[in-house]
Amino acid sequence: MSRSTVLVALDRPSNGAVTRDQLDRICACLSDEGHAVAWADTAEDALALTQSRADLSAALVSWDLDTPETVLKALMGRFTKLPVFLVTTATSVDDLPLWVSEVVSGYVWLLEDTPAFIAGRIGVAAQRYLDGVLPPFFRELLRFEDTHEYSWHTPAHAGGVAFLKSPVGRAFFDYYGERLFRTDLSISVAELGSLFEHSGPIGEAERNAARIFGADLTYFVLHGDSTADRIACHASIAADELVLVDRNCHKAIYHGLTLTGGRPVYLVPTRNGYGLMGPIPPSVMAAEAVAAQIRRSPFTEGAAGAEPVYAVITNSTYDGLCYDAVRVAELLGASVPRLHLDEAWFAYARFNPLYARRYGMSVDADALTDDVRPTIFSTQSTHKLLAAMSQSSMVHVKNSPRSPVEHRQFNETFMMHATTSPMYPMIAGLDVAAAMMDGAGGRWLTDEAITEAIRFRQAVARLGARIREAGDRPGWFFGTWQPTEVTDPATGRLHAFADAPLELLRTVPGCWTLAPGAHWHGFEGMEDGYCLLDPIKVSITCPGVDARGNVSEMGIPARILTMYLEARGIVVEKTDAYTCLILFSMGITKGKWGTLLDALLDFKSLYDSEATVTDVLPGLVKAHPDRYRHLTLSGLCAQMHTQLSKSELTALLDEAFTHPTPAVLTPAQTYQRLIRGGTEPVRLADIAGRTVATQVVTTPPGIPVLMPGESTGDADGPVLRYLRALETFDREFPGFPSETHGVSRELAGSYWITCLR
């Protein structure tokens, strides 16, 4: 660790001159040993430093401080095994609470030892703590880099030296700094271990991550969760075996089916009036329903077996809906021996009790008996919502006796997808990301993200209420998607969400569960506790439609809001028709979400004051002057809202995604036709009844509306009506194009899709 800071929490003004002199000498000795000192004269200051300083390596806390217990508990809740020394003036420590004696590392009587001795005790403990903080691989990488060995192996930049021989290379080197290039090493460095053999420090790091995440086996994957998904599928599915597939799965799952030749049988989720994809109802996962779906599938005939071998479920969804994973495993365990939970956006779930039972590695022998429990794969995009570098991900395995993962066999698949030239800083990032969540740190980090997300949600709700009550301006404002009311289970008291106690909202899962029939979420077929809305995934709702699909006269399409936010330097994660998604990751701050809140208020002011599109979105007018230069912001919103309402886009989206068209060929069979030239582009207007050769993925919502090998259906069917509505929207509103993979566009705006001949 590059910095060491010792917290000294004592009330200096109340100490005598001799004591103050002794403290100054202790701090001077600590400084001489290379430790910075952070002073706190009050418990409030100590708590602020505990909250803001991650580089604390030890603490010296006075029992005479105001509320010292609060400071000690905060330190224990923020840091794992931080050495804390208690300063006391009492002659005995027998009267201290027992828990204090258990958590402190030692006691200091300021005037009974020399300053050098006291500082030495603290310094040794701080160094021991720092040595223990570093996880296995990162620790060895630092040690190796510190030896300053010459590089005679790949990569050819040789620790960055090659870049120094070129002007552009020098600019690149200076931008990133020497340390990155010195740690960009080759697999020839045997002492750092092997990603393929899972040996040495790399193997230690994976086993350490398995312990932290509660897995039996953990594998580091350096090509993102997409590759992690393909590895898990490829290691479990053989040609022509039946696979239960969440229709809300990432496209990487379908790539896995293409690689393996697996035959998908789809489990279709619900949708609500906003167009958000919901959970698969439990009734659809029941063994009888699965068996009926298999009987109806065109892929059952000729399959390698009558029973499915694998199931894949997205948990949580993009919009933050997470299942009771134990309940899902209980339901699907009756049909499959292996269950894959794609948790790309949910790697933090294990580390906060708000998510108990809602993540893959919670499905252990204590949760379900071995005769019911399937082996669980959890694939996590570590970089998305934990602190790792882009493309860094992990595969976690929780074995069941029914179908255990055998490491040597699984590793053959792993090696097919892994690289023989791994980037060591990425491995170190995974190692550190896991270590950050170990012990008290994981709870503290997740608590902070949850708390800030709730504060933002409540701030939006309160602002909306104040605007309506003021009556001096139009009464509309944006909202956030969540329950309108919550109940305190301890008292039975019902609270409006905006006024609910923060502690209740951040600790009680029932505040976030999708109660059956509740209007706020708009999903059908729920069980009590089955699905929970993750508070850190915040969907901002715009006027125009509600969760039941009721359309209002006035509307503000989210694409316009998103374009305005981007002009303000605020980039959202995803935009649907009337919602946009923002993520409260561990990097969130009050200043960050305060800026977003200010932008929402400014948008309202511009809308209400009839500001022109030229003033609000100058880039849009510059690109399409004839279309937008004469419009006001409210006029543009009205035109787009009318178009969305007239085309019934959200209703068509619901119907298209919940009523898939018939499958003709498997993804693998279709791919063989694709690479042998058996395809042709077809205009959307002429595509009825054709079989598509590639996925058609529309964003929003970012999920395939057509899979390779599926028929497009009838011309007046929901899928083609939905795609035609998107095509018409793109023509009507240039500059706001739908992001649709698998579709190419003419200059005139016509859609073309590749189909089988």
Side-chain angles (χ1 to χ4, degrees):
M1 184 172 290
S2 59
R3 281 194 70 189
S4 167
T5 300
V6 177
L7 170 65
V8 178
L10 294 105
D11 184 5
R12 282 188 291 183
S14 65
N15 293 318
V18 175
T19 302
R20 286 199 300 272
D21 181 66
Q22 184 79 335
L23 282 172
D24 290 340
R25 290 172 182 271
I26 292 170
C27 292
C29 290
L30 286 169
S31 297
D32 290 343
E33 293 178 8
H35 303 281
V37 174
W39 270 98
D41 293 329
T42 65
E44 183 180 2
D45 287 345
L47 291 172
L49 285 168
T50 300
Q51 180 85 5
S52 61
R53 298 293 294 267
D55 61 342
L56 297 184
S57 54
L60 191 64
V61 179
S62 172
W63 189 247
D64 295 327
L65 196 71
D66 56 311
T67 62
E69 301 98 325
T70 305
V71 176
L72 291 175
K73 289 179 179 178
L75 287 167
M76 294 305 102
R78 173 75 167 88
F79 301 95
T80 301
K81 299 180 180 178
L82 182 79
V84 178
F85 294 86
L86 193 66
V87 178
T88 178
T89 57
T91 57
S92 171
V93 296
D94 294 343
D95 295 334
L96 293 175
L98 182 59
W99 69 268
V100 172
S101 300
E102 291 172 342
V103 301
V104 299
S105 303
Y107 302 92
V108 172
W109 283 269
L110 289 175
L111 302 179
E112 293 198 2
D113 288 300
T114 65
F117 180 80
I118 294 172
R121 287 185 65 204
I122 297 169
V124 167
Q127 190 57 54
R128 189 180 299 122
Y129 168 78
L130 294 177
D131 291 342
V133 162
L134 299 181
F137 180 77
F138 185 45
R139 181 178 60 243
E140 290 305 309
L141 185 65
L142 292 183
R143 185 201 59 76
F144 179 84
E145 192 271 335
D146 195 46
T147 60
H148 301 283
E149 300 281 358
Y150 276 117
S151 168
W152 295 92
H153 50 68
T154 58
H157 62 67
V161 174
F163 296 119
L164 301 178
K165 299 180 179 182
S166 158
V168 66
R170 181 61 193 245
F172 185 65
F173 181 92
D174 290 344
Y175 183 78
Y176 283 105
E178 181 174 0
R179 182 156 285 160
L180 172 64
F181 302 113
R182 289 292 177 190
T183 56
D184 183 21
L185 302 168
S186 164
I187 57 170
S188 303
V189 183
E191 60 206 273
L192 291 176
S194 166
L195 186 64
F196 275 5
E197 299 298 328
H198 310 279
S199 60
I202 293 177
E204 289 181 48
E206 288 181 322
R207 288 186 288 276
N208 188 50
R211 174 188 63 81
I212 293 167
F213 285 90
D216 294 329
L217 299 166
T218 289
Y219 298 86
F220 288 176
V221 180
L222 306 185
H223 300 84
D225 192 65
S226 296
T227 295
D229 284 340
R230 289 190 286 268
I231 290 172
C233 291
H234 207 179
S236 302
I237 304 166
D240 295 320
E241 290 184 324
L242 295 174
V243 183
L244 303 180
V245 180
D246 184 348
R247 190 69 189 204
N248 186 23
C249 273
H250 188 268
K251 61 184 179 181
I253 299 298
Y254 303 113
H255 295 155
L257 294 172
T258 300
L259 286 171
T260 62
R263 299 184 172 206
V265 176
Y266 295 111
L267 305 178
V268 180
T270 54
R271 277 193 175 276
N272 70 4
Y274 288 123
L276 302 178
M277 186 79 82
I280 301 168
S283 59
V284 175
M285 294 188 186
E288 301 80 7
V290 169
Q293 188 76 344
I294 289 172
R295 287 194 297 271
R296 291 191 293 268
S297 172
F299 298 143
T300 301
E301 183 177 355
E307 304 295 328
V309 299
Y310 197 75
V312 190
I313 304 294
T314 301
N315 184 52
S316 76
T317 69
Y318 212 157
D319 301 293
L321 297 173
C322 38
Y323 293 91
D324 179 338
V326 176
R327 176 64 172 145
V328 170
E330 179 183 37
L331 289 165
L332 290 178
S335 301
V336 294
R338 290 187 175 186
L339 171 61
H340 174 180
L341 296 178
D342 184 353
E343 297 180 339
W345 298 88
F346 207 38
Y348 50 86
R350 174 176 167 81
F351 308 103
N352 199 286
L354 191 70
Y355 308 112
R357 290 174 54 105
R358 298 198 176 273
Y359 56 93
M361 294 301 99
S362 68
V363 186
D364 56 19
D366 293 331
L368 290 176
T369 58
D370 287 348
D371 59 322
V372 174
R373 179 170 60 95
T375 286
I376 304 291
F377 289 95
S378 173
T379 50
Q380 296 178 350
S381 193
T382 315
H383 69 93
K384 281 190 169 71
L385 287 169
L386 294 185
M389 298 175 73
S390 291
Q391 297 191 63
S392 304
S393 61
M394 299 187 199
V395 177
H396 304 297
V397 181
K398 179 73 76 175
N399 271 321
S400 164
R402 292 175 58 193
S403 182
V405 170
E406 201 279 314
H407 165 71
R408 282 179 294 180
Q409 179 180 335
F410 185 86
N411 200 46
E412 288 298 314
T413 305
F414 178 87
M415 289 190 293
M416 290 183 192
H417 296 267
T419 175
T420 55
S421 302
M423 190 174 186
Y424 280 48
M426 290 180 67
I427 300 174
L430 284 167
D431 192 25
V432 169
M436 288 176 64
M437 306 309 290
D438 198 7
R443 174 66 184 270
W444 188 88
L445 288 166
T446 53
D447 267 347
E448 185 181 50
I450 291 167
T451 298
E452 294 307 320
I454 293 170
R455 283 176 172 152
F456 173 77
R457 289 173 179 272
Q458 290 192 305
V460 172
R462 290 167 182 162
L463 266 175
R466 287 172 56 195
I467 289 169
R468 290 189 296 273
E469 292 165 3
D472 59 352
R473 69 200 73 189
W476 72 271
F477 193 55
F478 301 100
T480 52
W481 184 50
Q482 71 247 337
T484 53
E485 297 176 322
V486 296
T487 300
D488 186 339
T491 64
R493 182 180 175 186
L494 187 68
H495 298 271
F497 181 88
D499 303 321
L502 179 62
E503 188 67 13
L504 173 70
L505 293 174
R506 73 184 192 88
T507 60
V508 177
C511 294
W512 302 94
T513 54
L514 276 60
H519 287 275
W520 73 266
H521 61 75
F523 297 115
E524 303 295 337
M526 297 298 99
E527 289 180 352
D528 279 327
Y530 178 69
C531 186
L532 175 143
L533 173 63
D534 185 350
I536 78 164
K537 299 183 176 81
V538 181
S539 291
I540 296 174
T541 59
C542 300
V545 72
D546 64 17
R548 290 289 181 177
N550 300 308
V551 179
S552 59
E553 183 177 346
M554 175 262 195
I556 297 177
R559 297 191 200 199
I560 299 174
L561 173 63
T562 294
M563 183 175 286
Y564 171 74
L565 292 177
E566 287 178 352
R568 292 276 298 260
I570 300 170
V571 181
V572 304
E573 179 62 35
K574 178 174 74 79
T575 303
D576 290 276
Y578 292 94
T579 64
C580 56
L581 177 69
I582 59 174
L583 302 175
F584 275 71
S585 67
M586 296 187 304
I588 199 68
T589 64
K590 292 180 183 64
K592 187 175 179 180
W593 66 252
T595 300
L596 173 58
L597 197 62
D598 178 64
L600 296 177
L601 281 166
D602 287 348
F603 185 98
K604 173 179 171 56
S605 177
L606 292 165
Y607 179 96
D608 293 343
S609 64
E610 295 293 331
T612 65
V613 176
T614 301
D615 289 336
V616 179
L617 301 171
L620 177 66
V621 174
K622 183 178 180 181
H624 306 281
D626 294 339
R627 176 67 179 87
Y628 299 114
R629 66 184 172 188
H630 301 299
L631 287 175
T632 62
L633 178 61
S634 62
L636 173 59
C637 289
Q639 285 188 9
M640 192 177 290
H641 178 57
T642 299
Q643 173 67 29
L644 292 172
S645 303
K646 182 177 66 176
S647 67
E648 299 181 319
L649 190 66
T650 54
L652 285 174
L653 181 149
D654 177 36
E655 195 174 356
F657 280 88
T658 55
H659 296 82
T661 53
V664 179
L665 298 173
T666 68
Q669 291 166 340
T670 307
Y671 183 72
Q672 294 302 313
R673 295 275 294 274
L674 174 69
I675 63 172
R676 292 303 175 206
T679 64
E680 61 183 357
V682 180
R683 191 191 304 267
L684 181 62
D686 305 320
I687 206 172
R690 298 294 297 266
T691 301
V692 296
T694 60
Q695 295 180 58
V696 177
V697 183
T698 59
T699 303
I703 303 299
V705 65
L706 284 168
M707 280 297 301
E710 287 183 343
S711 168
T712 58
D714 298 332
D716 60 351
V719 169
L720 291 187
R721 288 170 59 208
Y722 170 62
L723 290 175
R724 286 199 298 272
L726 285 180
E727 182 183 57
T728 301
F729 181 93
D730 287 356
R731 287 173 174 159
E732 288 289 324
F733 297 96
F736 296 92
S738 305
E739 184 181 347
T740 309
H741 304 289
V743 168
S744 57
R745 296 178 179 84
E746 289 180 339
L747 289 177
S750 295
Y751 280 13
W752 290 74
I753 296 173
T754 303
C755 297
L756 298 181
R757 287 198 176 102

